[in-house]
Amino acid sequence: MNPKKNIINSSFEFTPSTQSQTHPGKSLKVQGRKIKAHNSLWDKHNPSAYMANSRPGLDEKLVRFISREKKEPAWMLKHRLESLKIYLQTPFPNWGPSLKNLDLEKITYYARATDKQFETWQDVPSDIKNTFSKLGIPQAEQEVLAGVGAQYESTVIYHSLQQRFQEQGVIFEDLDVAVQKHSKLVKAYFMKAVPPTLHKFAALHGAVWSGGTFLYIPRGVIIEQPLQAYFRMNAKGVGQFEHTLIIVEEEAWAHYIEGCSAPRYGVDSLHAGTVEIFVKPRARFRYSSVESWSKDVYNLNTKCALVEKEARMEWVSGNFGSKVTMLYPCSVLLGRKASADHLGVAFANQHQIQDTGAKVIHLAPETSSNIVMKSISKKGGKAIYRGLVKIAPQAKNAISNVKCDALILDSKSQSDTIPLIDVRNKSAILNHEATAGKLNADDIFYLQSRGLSTEAAQAMIVNGFIEPISRELPLEYSVEMNRMVELELEDSIA
Amino acid sequence: MSNILEIKNLSVNIKNKKILKNINLVIKTGEICVIMGPNGSGKSTLAKVLMGHPDYKISSGQIIFKGHNITKKKPEERAALGLFMTFQSPREIAGLDFYPFLFDAYKALQLARRKPAMDVFDFKPQLDRELDLLKISADWSNRNLNQGFSGGEKKKSEMLQLALLKPSLAIFDEIDSGLDVDALETVSQALKRFKTAKTSALIITHYQKILKYVRPQKVIVIDQGEIVKRGTYRLALKLEQEGFQQIIANK
């Protein structure tokens, strides 16, 4: 199979990027849809045999190697080495789900895809093929999504940026590239919202991060269409430490959406990505992600936005899969009238712990936050809402609303709500509401009496439950999220 | 005329309590049967058992629908065979878009019945026509299934589903309760439209009014889970005059 024939994500058209190593895209037709292929994915020069040298474990030598491989400026190497030092000194978190089965010595911290890793569609495990089929993704896309012909672990990211945005000065590219091309800009913001000192995995990330997205929206630029990127984790035991750095200048508006998926492998994998967003005065930004990790992944992600005066930050997230997810997107409301919305869905299936929530720190007057979290737990899965709302002494007249709803599908499954509220100003108005419920047998019977199968009826009810969140996603993502729910529900019917 | 429904010696338990006792009933194709009885007599239970509600355990007996033994079949399988029920209290399903639900249910049934399904462009005009016939003037396109519907709207929602899902036997569980005069007229007309020579109805009601639109051939009275009286339309009239107690006492 010629890898060049493969198509990548069809939800937007690729235009040739300005990167020097790219070639113009080819136009192909897939099931009636015209999609341009972005050849830079497969035409990587410098086919290193790095995978052969890659090894588990982490030390200074490896950190220096990563930096040298990426030809990074000296400041970045320094940052990595400092982070490594912090990592080695920092203990595991003493709260949250157990991470005792996470063997950090067995993780491969840096891997580059090589031509040798090319596999054919036939080699893709059938359960992954089935997953993609059920998601309704045509084979050409499936092949790409399954990593065939477009193996990329840590180094390759593809992006699309429409011409006009480029003209407006929008930068949207691989962070590795941005470190070279926009070194000063990246340096000014990199790990300033999520410093390596935040926790052990932030430090680890600082030492071994690789790839990710850099998005810069200049002042006053409004982008209505969501900007998108995909990350995937392909090789067995490979950690993924991608870094997303987003700067939204004053009065700019944008929406960025990220989908993550990983096939399942037998070795515990670690994902410790970081997202940093800087929302400048009167700017507005929405970050959406639908993540569906392999059932053996420890997904220990850190996401944080610094929100300035009259600016608005919106997080929309769907968390599926993984073994353990610990994810609490954070908004720091720095300026007067800054606001944040946190909307999230988490699905905890068998042997899974979804420990998710939100963190909002009100540091200025008249700041407001709204947190709506929905969780579903099934077959012994455990869904935990863990949240922190902090109102600082100077944050006069701050408002915060928190609403958590849990749907527990059977008697083996669990849900928990751990809200921490720290108020240092008496003028604050806070609301916390939590509900937990089961699937109603009469609801299912009602839908069945209309000819719908038990499975379809359950899926309709669960999708209805998360609808307040999924309706905030672009159509194709909300459809995908609904299908993810259907897949997660499927094996529940004995 | 063939039998569309045969209930044979049906006894039903819930939580080890016997709530239907030895029910025998036949409904022929094209026939209308009315079930009357005091509150809590087992009328709604019978309706739910016929539709296959999982809470009820059939301890003995059989339900034969169109020649198929459906006693152990799932509700959706019964629906596929052509059975339908309007609920006394239709469920409100949060977040489930009403019109897409109607289309999904229609498609699921057509598929199960091995019949071709209309595409959405042909389905929509039919939906609009039924909305019109049911005098639904409010815009339901942004609503979720029955969510926030008034009592009358819920009954109309049931009749709308009936019209679109085209069953051959429909059970109406108090479709006429809680309706104002105009809505009762509209719902009764919808029932009349449904009722052809090929379709059958099992109507559970406390009132006479709806029977003026569709005249039943059979009227039965249930009390304490048992059929205590069988008759024709005249029995319904008698019930209205004399009340249940009199009839039951004279069984």
Side-chain angles (χ1 to χ4, degrees):
Chain A
M1 186 193 307
N2 180 357
K4 284 183 190 172
K5 283 273 155 67
N6 289 319
I7 314 299
I8 37 187
N9 180 17
S10 69
S11 56
F12 56 96
E13 287 225 333
F14 284 90
T15 47
S17 107
T18 50
Q19 278 172 245
S20 57
Q21 72 266 38
T22 58
H23 297 271
K26 266 185 190 169
S27 201
L28 292 170
K29 268 206 154 173
V30 178
Q31 302 202 343
R33 281 185 288 167
K34 195 179 155 213
I35 297 148
K36 280 183 184 167
H38 189 289
N39 291 336
S40 64
L41 238 68
W42 307 292
D43 283 2
K44 268 298 197 192
H45 301 304
N46 187 20
S48 108
Y50 181 70
M51 250 339 243
N53 301 326
S54 71
R55 58 184 168 85
L58 174 62
D59 54 19
E60 191 181 320
K61 220 173 124 189
L62 179 75
V63 170
R64 285 182 183 279
F65 177 83
I66 295 170
S67 195
R68 194 165 62 241
E69 264 287 281
K70 293 176 180 292
K71 302 188 176 67
E72 286 176 346
W75 67 264
M76 184 56 86
L77 174 62
K78 194 170 160 241
H79 172 91
R80 287 183 184 277
L81 292 172
E82 278 166 9
S83 300
L84 177 66
K85 214 178 268 171
I86 297 164
Y87 165 73
L88 294 171
Q89 289 162 1
T90 311
F92 271 85
N94 59 4
W95 51 274
S98 165
L99 301 174
K100 70 178 192 324
N101 290 326
L102 172 62
D103 188 348
L104 291 170
E105 294 303 310
K106 281 193 180 151
I107 302 288
T108 303
Y109 289 91
Y110 182 64
R112 273 191 71 167
T114 71
D115 294 344
K116 300 231 162 57
Q117 284 187 286
F118 176 72
E119 294 170 62
T120 65
W121 179 243
Q122 280 74 29
D123 294 335
V124 175
S126 59
D127 61 334
I128 295 171
K129 278 190 202 165
N130 289 340
T131 304
F132 286 118
S133 306
K134 285 173 190 166
L135 284 170
I137 300 163
Q139 178 156 341
E141 287 173 77
Q142 290 177 25
E143 289 178 0
V144 173
L145 290 169
V148 177
Q151 284 284 348
Y152 55 100
E153 271 80 52
S154 310
T155 55
V156 187
I157 280 295
Y158 57 83
H159 290 146
S160 154
L161 180 54
Q162 293 186 351
Q163 205 80 38
R164 65 190 172 103
F165 299 142
Q166 270 177 334
E167 284 158 12
Q168 286 171 314
V170 174
I171 305 168
F172 187 29
E173 58 193 336
D174 194 310
L175 187 61
D176 282 329
V177 176
V179 168
Q180 315 269 353
K181 276 170 65 178
H182 311 281
S183 181
K184 252 190 178 164
L185 191 57
V186 172
K187 191 183 173 187
Y189 292 95
F190 186 79
M191 293 198 87
K192 296 293 194 287
V194 179
T197 47
L198 194 63
H199 55 72
K200 189 172 185 72
F201 296 97
L204 174 64
H205 178 91
V208 299
W209 78 271
S210 182
T213 300
F214 180 65
L215 175 60
Y216 177 83
I217 318 276
R219 185 178 178 139
V221 171
I222 291 171
I223 303 177
E224 275 156 18
Q225 199 186 347
L227 295 155
Q228 329 196 18
Y230 268 88
F231 293 94
R232 298 191 57 261
M233 216 153 80
N234 286 316
K236 193 166 153 180
V238 171
Q240 183 133 337
F241 304 93
E242 89 287 351
H243 194 101
T244 302
L245 180 59
I246 296 168
I247 300 151
V248 191
E249 292 287 8
E250 286 185 37
E251 290 168 15
W253 284 30
H255 179 187
Y256 173 77
I257 185 156
E258 207 164 78
C260 306
S261 62
R264 56 183 84 174
Y265 288 116
V267 173
D268 284 345
S269 294
L270 170 64
H271 173 252
T274 291
V275 176
E276 297 184 282
I277 304 170
F278 298 84
V279 194
K280 298 301 178 71
R282 292 174 302 283
R284 189 173 178 152
F285 191 73
R286 174 176 284 199
Y287 176 95
S288 301
S289 66
V290 178
E291 305 187 10
S292 139
W293 296 98
S294 156
K295 312 251 183 257
D296 41 43
V297 167
Y298 285 86
N299 183 28
L300 313 175
N301 240 328
T302 311
K303 300 181 178 181
C304 184
L306 303 186
V307 191
E308 295 189 33
K309 194 179 154 191
E310 290 169 37
R312 177 167 179 77
M313 177 66 210
E314 297 167 348
W315 300 91
V316 183
S317 57
N319 290 296
F320 293 84
S322 82
K323 183 173 189 169
V324 174
T325 285
M326 292 173 78
L327 173 58
Y328 327 96
C330 171
S331 297
V332 184
L333 305 176
L334 293 168
R336 180 184 284 267
K337 287 189 174 169
S339 65
D341 249 19
H342 290 240
L343 310 178
V345 168
F347 198 122
N349 211 327
Q350 195 175 21
H351 307 308
Q352 294 176 348
I353 301 174
Q354 291 281 358
D355 197 281
T356 62
K359 207 164 140 183
V360 182
I361 301 167
H362 292 251
L363 292 177
E366 296 173 67
T367 45
S368 63
S369 61
N370 182 37
I371 300 169
V372 181
M373 294 288 154
K374 303 252 183 188
S375 76
I376 302 141
S377 50
K378 189 195 126 180
K379 264 191 156 174
K382 198 170 173 185
I384 299 140
Y385 166 78
R386 194 184 295 273
L388 171 66
V389 174
K390 196 169 177 176
I391 314 272
Q394 68 273 28
K396 234 183 136 181
N397 297 323
I399 300 174
S400 178
N401 283 306
V402 181
K403 190 174 189 310
C404 312
D405 298 317
L407 188 59
I408 304 163
L409 297 187
D410 51 54
S411 56
K412 284 188 289 182
S413 305
Q414 286 180 58
S415 166
D416 214 341
T417 305
I418 308 169
L420 285 172
I421 296 170
D422 179 0
V423 182
R424 302 293 166 94
N425 188 309
K426 282 183 178 165
S427 63
I429 300 173
L430 281 101
N431 242 319
H432 178 90
E433 198 186 310
T435 68
K438 291 179 186 170
L439 278 184
N440 184 305
D442 285 319
D443 287 350
I444 293 171
F445 173 62
Y446 183 66
L447 296 177
Q448 282 180 291
S449 78
R450 272 48 180 157
L452 298 157
S453 66
T454 318
E455 292 89 335
Q458 283 197 346
M460 280 182 175
I461 294 165
V462 176
N463 278 326
F465 170 72
I466 64 167
E467 190 268 350
I469 316 293
S470 56
R471 70 164 172 235
E472 297 296 328
L473 293 166
L475 183 66
E476 68 268 35
Y477 282 80
S478 73
V479 167
E480 182 165 328
M481 190 145 99
N482 288 347
R483 283 183 181 148
M484 294 302 310
V485 165
E486 285 158 26
L487 291 183
E488 294 286 350
L489 290 175
E490 228 163 52
D491 58 339
S492 70
I493 291 94
Chain B
M1 265 196 306
S2 60
N3 295 336
I4 191 161
L5 182 74
E6 295 167 56
I7 304 171
K8 296 180 182 170
N9 302 319
L10 186 71
S11 293
V12 173
N13 292 342
I14 188 164
K15 290 164 193 155
N16 292 324
K17 193 184 162 218
K18 206 164 201 177
I19 48 170
L20 287 180
K21 295 166 207 160
N22 208 26
I23 303 281
N24 283 286
L25 180 66
V26 171
I27 298 178
K28 291 187 190 315
T29 302
E31 208 169 54
I32 295 171
C33 174
V34 168
I35 302 181
M36 305 187 103
N39 288 330
S41 58
K43 303 184 301 291
S44 284
T45 300
L46 179 61
K48 285 189 226 169
V49 168
L50 292 177
M51 200 68 233
H53 195 292
D55 282 359
Y56 301 100
K57 297 283 163 269
I58 293 174
S59 53
S60 66
Q62 281 187 339
I63 306 164
I64 311 292
F65 179 61
K66 288 181 172 174
H68 302 270
N69 183 350
I70 61 164
T71 317
K72 286 179 178 160
K73 290 218 185 295
K74 293 178 186 169
E76 63 268 34
E77 294 172 304
R78 301 176 193 217
L81 286 169
L83 191 61
F84 184 87
M85 166 181 169
T86 68
F87 284 54
Q88 203 183 117
S89 312
R91 307 299 304 176
E92 300 189 22
I93 314 289
L96 180 56
D97 290 334
F98 192 44
Y99 291 176
F101 155 75
L102 291 174
F103 188 50
D104 283 348
Y106 163 76
K107 279 188 296 182
L109 280 176
Q110 290 298 103
L111 184 71
R113 291 170 185 169
R114 296 189 183 151
K115 285 184 186 162
M118 288 181 271
D119 64 24
V120 74
F121 305 105
D122 291 334
F123 184 79
K124 186 62 178 29
Q126 188 161 339
L127 169 62
D128 289 340
R129 198 171 59 239
E130 296 299 340
L131 288 165
D132 222 35
L133 287 166
L134 284 164
K135 301 194 167 71
I136 293 162
S137 50
D139 180 12
W140 285 11
S141 65
N142 290 319
R143 295 202 190 176
N144 292 325
L145 178 56
N146 297 335
Q147 209 186 10
F149 281 34
S150 70
E153 284 178 328
K154 279 184 183 164
K155 301 289 182 179
K156 286 187 177 182
S157 163
E158 295 294 275
M159 296 309 281
L160 176 64
Q161 294 175 52
L162 169 80
L164 295 168
L165 303 181
K166 300 201 182 335
S168 37
L169 169 61
I171 304 162
F172 299 89
D173 189 4
E174 297 196 19
I175 192 70
D176 51 351
S177 61
L179 294 177
D180 62 33
V181 181
D182 292 346
L184 180 63
E185 163 79 21
T186 307
V187 164
S188 301
Q189 291 292 354
L191 206 167
K192 205 173 164 184
R193 279 197 301 281
F194 158 73
K195 189 61 201 66
T196 66
K198 287 180 184 165
T199 56
S200 315
L202 185 61
I203 301 173
I204 296 168
T205 183
H206 287 295
Y207 309 105
Q208 295 301 315
K209 271 187 189 141
I210 200 162
L211 305 183
K212 301 212 165 71
Y213 296 87
V214 281
R215 176 130 334 165
Q217 285 77 34
K218 277 188 184 134
V219 174
I220 63 168
V221 179
I222 291 187
D223 184 48
Q224 292 175 32
E226 280 180 279
I227 295 181
V228 292
K229 192 96 186 166
R230 293 170 194 267
T232 60
Y233 180 52
R234 287 168 65 181
L235 175 58
L237 296 175
K238 201 172 163 208
L239 275 167
E240 183 152 70
Q241 285 161 8
E242 298 176 15
F244 290 121
Q245 290 318 316
Q246 189 73 25
I247 303 276
I248 292 164
N250 296 338
K251 72 177 174 179

